[in-house]
Amino acid sequence: DLGERMLAAFRRHCPAVPLLLIGTDCPALGSSHLREAARALLRGDDAVFVPADDGGYVLVGLREPHAELFDDVHWSTGSVMSETRARARAAGLTVNELATLWDLDVPRDLDRLSPPDAEALGVARG
């Protein structure tokens, strides 16, 4: 499942280096978000997230793997981020949350794309 795949990535790369994982469905996520998230981890935060306005998240960064953040999560629901927050608190992790963004999950989300973004993705407008 998604949690297993994400945990495997963190196990492979951490703790040698902190790791940021991003979704591919958030055109609003830019390089400034990635730099800010990386800085949070390099400053010593255990975890960093960019929440999604639908209740999930579009970025997770960790200094080391934490299975409890990914095991038995009800993915693709509006409770993912709140569940993750509770799990991180219970594990005693220091968490940095950046500004909430939106992602593309359903066809109506395409209306949020700016005209240049929509054109680049081949989305018909109008």
Side-chain angles (χ1 to χ4, degrees):
D1 85 344
L2 178 61
E4 290 172 359
R5 293 191 311 264
M6 291 195 299
L7 180 58
F10 284 110
R11 283 184 172 151
R12 180 178 176 124
H13 295 285
C14 297
V17 294
L19 178 67
L20 300 176
L21 287 180
I22 64 171
T24 59
D25 61 349
C26 183
L29 185 68
S31 59
S32 63
H33 300 102
L34 299 177
R35 283 191 297 275
E36 188 176 357
R39 280 193 295 269
L41 295 177
L42 294 173
R43 278 192 313 261
D45 290 328
D46 296 315
V48 62
F49 292 92
V50 174
D53 66 0
D54 63 5
Y57 53 83
V58 300
L59 175 149
V60 54
L62 297 175
R63 294 176 57 79
E64 59 185 55
H66 291 279
E68 63 273 24
L69 298 179
F70 304 105
D71 290 340
D72 298 318
V73 173
H74 298 102
W75 300 107
S76 300
T77 66
S79 65
V80 171
M81 190 66 233
S82 61
E83 188 177 341
T84 302
R85 279 185 198 106
R87 290 168 178 232
R89 273 193 305 272
L93 302 179
T94 57
V95 175
N96 189 321
E97 277 190 40
L98 306 184
T100 299
L101 298 176
W102 56 274
D103 58 4
L104 297 166
D105 292 320
V106 295
R108 72 177 173 274
D109 291 339
L110 293 172
D111 294 336
R112 297 173 122 174
L113 289 173
S114 67
D117 291 334
E119 187 176 301
L121 293 173
V123 175
R125 307 288 292 187

